[in-house]
Amino acid sequence: MDLTLLLAGNGLMEAFTAPHGFFNFSFLPKYLVYFGQGVVYTLLLSVVSVAVAVIPALCLALMRLSKNKLVRGLSGAYIAVFRSTPMLVQLYIIYYGLFGVGGIQLPNVYILGYINLAQFIPGVVALAMNSSAYVAEIFRGGILAVDKGQMEAARSLGLTQWQGMRFVVLPQAIKNILPALANEVVTMVKESSICSVIGMMELMWGAKTVATTTYVTLGPYVFAAVIYFCINFPASKAIEAVERRMRRGDNQ
């Protein structure tokens, strides 16, 4: 056998079998359950966080569009703070500060057997507060994309400013922002991995735990990356398909 091929074969075999190999998945038979639970935790954490962020984000967007300088300034300050500081710092401040030193005590209640609400709720609050700053800009952009004549027409029919916003402008704006809101969920699936630092048993926590338990240093992280890809790539393509269909509907 050619020496070059033999060395290449040995290198490929080492990549699959060595503890430091990229494709050493020998831990899967015993620890696959960690990744399964991590996927459920990650998806639940992401969807709930974005859902919780929607109402504050809408309020922030409307405040940003207000003619009152104080209201507009408060909204702008909130958005600037959460968009200009690392999410890790925000998570620590909320988890150890608001829910720790701040005195908000949560019971150690488990759902699905492994999701501790005492950790899950602070994680949701941190992610939702961060996400609301970004979703607020999505809402604001969607509202501004609606033609000003729509509000003028609503006012001419006798509707108040709030009624015109609620019944005329917002329904049209929501259509514009749905794809961007879905993209925020996809982004949140990736960003939720930061919650592993406070012991939340999501996907990244599972990979880290398996790596430290089995001393297989890269395989668990590569496997987690594959799972993240399998979640986010099809979701992104589905969102793109929905956007194309909505554009075709607008052109008809």
Side-chain angles (χ1 to χ4, degrees), residues 2-247:
D2 185 84
L3 181 60
T4 303
L5 293 177
L6 180 61
L7 292 175
N10 289 337
L12 183 62
M13 183 63 69
E14 186 178 356
F16 277 93
T17 59
H20 59 274
F22 279 87
F23 305 106
N24 181 0
F25 298 147
S26 59
F27 55 86
L28 281 179
K30 186 175 181 180
Y31 293 100
L32 183 60
V33 64
Y34 279 42
F35 293 93
Q37 292 177 345
V39 169
V40 174
Y41 203 127
T42 295
L43 293 177
L44 187 62
L45 182 63
S46 304
V47 172
V48 171
S49 297
V50 174
V52 170
V54 166
I55 299 301
L58 179 57
C59 294
L60 288 168
L62 294 176
M63 289 170 67
R64 286 275 284 166
L65 297 171
S66 173
K67 295 179 181 179
N68 187 303
K69 290 185 179 180
L70 177 60
V71 172
R72 194 166 62 246
L74 289 173
S75 175
Y78 178 96
I79 292 171
V81 167
F82 278 90
R83 294 182 67 178
S84 303
T85 55
M87 185 182 289
L88 180 60
V89 175
Q90 298 166 18
L91 178 63
Y92 278 145
I93 290 173
I94 291 170
Y95 184 69
Y96 293 111
L98 183 62
F99 289 90
V101 179
I104 300 178
Q105 299 295 326
L106 296 173
N108 288 311
V109 177
Y110 289 83
I111 57 175
L112 301 180
Y114 61 94
I115 299 178
N116 187 355
L117 292 183
Q119 292 177 321
F120 183 79
I121 292 176
V124 167
V125 171
L127 292 176
M129 291 181 70
N130 179 275
S131 180
S132 63
Y134 293 90
V135 176
E137 292 298 282
I138 294 173
F139 271 114
R140 188 170 72 93
I143 291 171
L144 291 176
V146 177
D147 191 272
K148 292 182 178 180
Q150 297 292 319
M151 177 59 79
E152 294 173 358
R155 295 302 301 275
S156 68
L157 292 173
L159 299 179
T160 65
Q161 183 78 16
W162 166 243
Q163 288 173 332
M165 179 65 69
R166 179 183 175 186
F167 296 113
V168 178
V169 176
L170 281 180
Q172 297 180 65
I174 288 173
K175 182 180 178 182
N176 295 331
I177 69 166
L178 279 178
L181 199 58
N183 274 315
E184 180 65 16
V185 176
V186 172
T187 301
M188 188 59 69
V189 170
K190 295 180 291 183
E191 293 183 344
S192 65
S193 62
I194 204 168
C195 290
S196 63
V197 299
I198 60 172
M200 296 181 71
M201 298 174 64
E202 44 74 63
L203 184 55
M204 193 62 190
W205 180 92
K208 187 188 303 182
T209 300
V210 172
T212 55
T213 302
T214 62
Y215 301 103
V216 179
T217 53
L218 286 176
Y221 297 111
V222 172
F223 189 64
V226 170
I227 294 175
Y228 278 118
F229 180 84
C230 291
I231 294 172
N232 290 325
F233 184 74
S236 299
K237 290 301 179 182
I239 293 168
E240 290 176 7
V242 171
E243 286 184 282
R244 287 195 297 270
R245 184 167 184 176
M246 290 175 66
R247 284 197 296 268

